[in-house]
Amino acid sequence: MPEGPSILILKEQLASFKGKKITEANGNSKIDFKRLQNLKIKDLKSWGKHFLICFENFFLRVHLLMFGTYRINEKKESEPRLSMRFKAGEINFYTCNIQLIEGNPHEIYDWEVDIMSEEWNPKKAEKKLKTLKKNKICDALLDQDLFSGVGNIIKNEVLFRTKIHPESDVTEIPSKKIKELVKETQNYSWDFYNWKKKSELKKHWQIYKKKRCPRCDIESTIAWLGKGKRLSCYCENCQILYI
DNA sequence: TATAATGTTTGAAC
DNA sequence: AGTTCAAACATTAT
């Protein structure tokens, strides 16, 4: 379920709970729920795939991982990891990783690497990419220290849009092309965001899980590439391998 | 029904 | 010491 754009949507859906007091908190995660009792939510933030619920001197980090879900003002059958009730309404998170972290998010997170942030800094991404050695672009795009919020769908679609083969060596890609890639990562992420809000994300997939290349109509290639052996869908014909 | 999928961390093995 | 790998965690659609 979650890549960066989906987490931003989550944040927006919960915006009305900002400033509201938690009347009761519980769940089957291992955090100390007593800490949350009677506290007002100070702020809601997202950083890439991290959703942050901020209080005075600490915050909760919710990571939906692969299968995480949530419900607003309703429940699922299963036990929530984290359930927060308010005078009016409730929020429930399932199958996710919850951490209670002391301090302020700004001490930990750099929003310049968050693809959905207003502070997103493409120059920084380009610079960081240049420091990589012996890295394939399919791994670099999923590196959350470079492109916080990029997931496997964004990776595949961006590489298709920019006509770069996923196994290209980052250092061999011309800087003009790198610039285009970084720009397109942000572009596609916002397309993702808009399509997701209209529940029509899949409709716009060009290469991800598609049988044929929409440009040259040849059969697309499916492989599990990179360090994480993540699903890669691409066109051998029009995506250039820089080696 | 078995499989694989929008993810990440951990610790063993090399 | 650095890397690579599998396992672990879970859920749902095909």
Side-chain angles (χ1 to χ4, degrees):
Chain A
M1 186 182 184
E3 296 193 22
S6 302
I7 304 303
L8 181 57
I9 292 168
L10 161 61
K11 183 175 82 172
E12 291 171 357
Q13 289 175 337
L14 292 182
S16 66
F17 289 95
K18 211 192 275 191
K20 296 291 190 300
K21 189 163 83 174
I22 297 169
T23 54
E24 199 189 338
N26 54 32
N28 62 13
S29 70
K30 284 178 288 182
I31 62 158
D32 179 12
F33 292 99
K34 287 192 219 94
R35 288 281 297 271
L36 308 177
Q37 194 73 246
N38 295 320
L39 290 190
K40 277 185 186 172
I41 293 179
K42 196 179 148 199
D43 205 0
L44 297 170
K45 293 176 180 292
S46 61
W47 181 85
K49 300 167 192 169
H50 298 205
F51 177 59
L52 311 178
I53 305 166
C54 309
F55 302 95
E56 202 50 43
N57 295 309
F58 70 96
F59 59 96
L60 293 181
R61 192 202 82 166
V62 180
H63 201 306
L64 267 29
L65 296 166
M66 193 81 98
F67 311 122
T69 51
Y70 60 93
R71 292 289 185 274
I72 302 165
N73 298 330
E74 56 183 57
K75 284 186 172 70
K76 284 181 51 163
E77 292 274 316
S78 57
E79 270 289 291
R81 283 269 192 279
L82 167 65
S83 175
M84 294 183 294
R85 274 179 289 286
F86 304 83
K87 200 169 169 185
E90 62 181 298
I91 308 170
N92 297 300
F93 289 101
Y94 304 86
T95 339
C96 53
N97 180 277
I98 313 262
Q99 280 182 36
L100 193 156
I101 301 172
E102 305 292 344
N104 186 301
H106 280 99
E107 296 157 14
I108 298 176
Y109 293 106
D110 174 9
W111 269 274
E112 288 191 347
V113 303
D114 176 5
I115 47 157
M116 302 308 288
S117 171
E118 288 177 4
E119 296 176 43
W120 162 249
N121 184 344
K123 289 270 179 295
K124 196 169 196 170
E126 290 165 26
K127 212 177 278 179
K128 281 191 171 187
L129 278 171
K130 277 185 193 142
T131 68
L132 296 181
K133 290 180 178 69
K134 242 181 71 182
N135 271 267
K136 290 174 178 172
I137 193 61
C138 59
D139 285 325
L141 271 168
L142 291 175
D143 186 335
Q144 301 298 296
D145 293 329
L146 268 72
F147 299 98
S148 169
V150 169
N152 212 29
I153 296 172
I154 297 176
K155 177 195 84 179
N156 281 297
E157 290 292 319
V158 168
L159 289 174
F160 178 77
R161 279 188 173 189
T162 53
K163 304 187 183 184
I164 301 171
H165 189 291
E167 292 196 286
S168 294
D169 183 336
V170 176
T171 56
E172 297 296 328
I173 303 173
S175 58
K176 199 178 157 193
K177 202 71 190 166
I178 287 284
K179 208 172 168 182
E180 186 191 331
L181 174 81
V182 169
K183 182 72 194 152
E184 204 51 46
T185 301
Q186 189 196 30
N187 277 348
Y188 180 77
S189 297
W190 282 102
D191 286 342
F192 184 125
Y193 168 85
N194 287 312
W195 290 328
K196 179 88 185 174
K197 280 219 272 197
K198 290 193 274 179
S199 305
E200 57 178 47
L201 181 63
K202 286 184 194 182
K203 201 171 90 183
H204 298 277
W205 286 345
Q206 293 197 85
I207 198 70
Y208 184 73
K209 293 188 174 171
K210 303 300 270 191
K211 290 237 169 7
R212 315 194 76 81
C213 170
R215 278 196 289 252
C216 43
D217 200 41
I218 67 161
E219 201 175 328
S220 54
T221 305
I222 291 171
W224 285 264
L225 306 177
K227 287 195 192 108
K229 302 250 184 294
R230 298 296 302 278
L231 178 63
S232 291
C233 312
Y234 59 100
C235 173
E236 294 275 9
N237 183 47
C238 61
Q239 290 179 246
I240 300 165
L241 179 60
Y242 299 91
I243 284 289

